[in-house]
Amino acid sequence: MSSRVRIALLIGLAGVVLVTLIMAPMLMSTFPSFLGGGSTGEDCGDGPVKVTNVSTTAQSDIPANYLELYKKWGKKTGVQWTVLAAVGKRETDHGRSTLAGVRSGVNYAGAAGPMQFLISTWGGKAKIKTSSKFNGYASDGDDDGVADVYNPADAILGAAKMLKRNGAPGDLKRALFVYNHAMWYVEQVLVIARRYASDGTLELPPVDDPSCDTPIVEAAPTDIVRKILQYALAQRGKPYRWGGTGPDAFDCSGIIYMAYRAAGLSIPRTTFGQFPFGAKVKKGTEQPGDLVFFNAGPGTSSNSPGHVGMVVSPGKMVEARCTLCGPIKMTTYRDRPNIVGYTRPLQNPTVIGQLKRLGLT
């Protein structure tokens, strides 16, 4: 191979690496979840994962103060501490790196701190008073009133929040791809995370287990809600299709519209019609059959949300999210951003009249 060819190849490879690194970590919360890493399990819970035992590799490699923080914030947010630690290892060797941006300033890509947040992702500046209004993942992990991207306590909490919002603990590949847009990065982090766990595995919580449907339906407050839930839950696994009302595919409002029709009730077809239709209910008082709305999608706002899901049990909903988001599934909603409100279609006067005609009141 000639020297010119070698030089050309090296320049090309450097360019690919540079482009990839400049993009990381970037926030892209709507990235499709076709990257895999779905949940498995035998019970019906989806709470925080347990704190996995620490391997000898982790004990020898992770500084004690960092290990304590990874475990603390992993447990509180439900993100595997081993994954948090693997991100910290891959980014800055748990803060030991002497490269620019780790302890002060930013690197060439604009990232800073032990977990390498883009300053724009952190909140616009490296240190933010927690009383300030800001957008981003800036966090105060040591209660000193300042969200400091260079402070491990703050940065690790911020990383946990970012991973949680984008799929962790169940969809780890998606969450890590959002953190750094490169599949080689995702695989490297997962390898490190397994080495940090004493049994070499990553615990994944169950999220959407059909064997849990019976107790969900039986817990419904009325027979009419049971019929609505049975229909909606039975559509899981079918694809999203804009404007779809079944039987083979649905959009977000279409599955809700058809679930109510299956129970003999008529409600508006679209999200824009469904939002003002139902009686408003306060956060925390929502019940199965209620609707949860999100300010998501082009041309939408907090007064005109573009996405909707149906509550099926505390903290869970059935939703048809988007074409690239995978099939219709049951998901959690309380930690999702951009929730604008909850409604109860069954308390709309028109629906109450329908229930009376059906002899169901």
Side-chain angles (χ1 to χ4, degrees):
M1 182 182 294
S2 70
S3 59
R4 289 185 178 179
V5 172
R6 290 193 185 96
I7 292 171
L9 288 174
L10 288 173
I11 292 173
L13 179 59
V16 171
V17 172
L18 179 60
V19 169
T20 302
L21 291 175
I22 287 176
M23 294 177 67
M26 294 173 62
L27 175 61
M28 189 175 69
S29 60
T30 57
F31 192 83
S33 56
F34 59 75
L35 294 171
S39 302
T40 59
E42 297 179 353
D43 60 75
C44 299
D46 64 347
V49 295
K50 296 181 292 185
V51 176
T52 306
N53 291 331
V54 183
S55 69
T56 55
T57 299
Q59 291 173 353
S60 62
D61 186 48
I62 304 173
N65 62 322
Y66 274 75
L67 179 58
E68 180 181 355
L69 291 169
Y70 293 138
K71 294 172 73 173
K72 174 183 178 180
W73 294 125
K75 183 176 182 179
K76 289 192 175 183
T77 61
V79 176
Q80 297 91 334
W81 76 262
T82 51
V83 174
L84 277 174
V87 170
K89 174 67 175 180
R90 184 61 187 79
E91 294 291 350
T92 67
D93 192 20
H94 310 299
R96 288 180 291 226
S97 172
T98 58
L99 294 175
V102 177
R103 295 180 180 84
S104 64
V106 297
N107 67 8
Y108 59 87
M115 303 303 281
Q116 289 293 278
F117 274 93
L118 290 176
I119 293 299
S120 59
T121 302
W122 185 253
K125 53 185 179 180
K127 297 182 181 181
I128 301 171
K129 291 184 178 180
T130 53
S131 60
S132 303
K133 293 182 179 180
F134 59 87
N135 294 314
Y137 290 97
S139 303
D140 182 12
D142 58 0
D143 297 321
D144 65 353
V146 177
D148 183 352
V149 75
Y150 306 108
N151 183 337
D154 299 350
I156 292 170
L157 174 56
K161 289 180 178 179
M162 187 173 186
L163 292 170
K164 176 74 172 181
R165 174 173 289 187
N166 292 293
D171 198 347
L172 290 177
K173 288 188 176 182
R174 177 181 184 273
L176 290 169
F177 192 89
V178 171
Y179 203 93
N180 187 337
H181 292 31
M183 282 308 301
W184 57 261
Y185 175 90
V186 172
E187 296 302 333
Q188 285 183 8
V189 168
L190 293 177
V191 168
I192 297 169
R194 292 187 180 95
R195 290 173 179 169
Y196 282 163
S198 61
D199 60 359
T201 62
L202 292 174
E203 183 183 357
L204 300 175
V207 173
D208 191 5
D209 186 351
S211 68
C212 299
D213 288 1
T214 297
I216 288 175
V217 173
E218 290 180 349
T222 65
D223 287 339
I224 200 74
V225 174
R226 291 188 188 95
K227 291 181 180 179
I228 293 169
L229 296 187
Q230 284 176 332
Y231 182 92
L233 291 169
Q235 310 315 309
R236 282 177 299 173
K238 295 181 179 179
Y240 173 96
R241 181 183 300 145
W242 187 83
T245 53
D248 300 321
F250 301 81
D251 66 10
C252 65
S253 57
I255 186 174
I256 294 169
Y257 171 74
M258 292 303 295
Y260 273 79
R261 277 193 59 177
L265 304 175
S266 179
I267 67 171
R269 161 66 186 86
T270 68
T271 305
F272 300 115
Q274 291 172 1
F275 183 60
F277 182 80
K280 300 296 189 295
V281 296
K282 292 182 179 180
K283 177 183 178 180
T285 65
E286 65 272 14
Q287 300 176 2
D290 291 348
L291 308 185
V292 52
F293 292 87
F294 302 83
N295 181 13
T300 67
S301 68
S302 59
N303 295 319
S304 184
H307 183 59
V308 62
M310 180 193 295
V311 177
V312 296
S313 66
K316 294 183 179 180
M317 66 179 176
V318 166
E319 68 170 334
R321 191 168 184 180
C322 70
T323 303
L324 296 176
C325 296
I328 295 167
K329 60 175 72 72
M330 184 162 64
T331 61
T332 60
Y333 62 82
R334 286 178 178 166
D335 60 348
R336 288 263 291 271
N338 301 328
I339 294 178
V340 299
Y342 305 83
T343 71
R344 187 165 298 156
L346 292 175
Q347 289 187 350
N348 178 278
T350 301
V351 174
I352 291 174
Q354 296 172 13
L355 291 170
K356 287 180 179 178
R357 287 192 293 272
L358 293 171
L360 298 173
T361 58

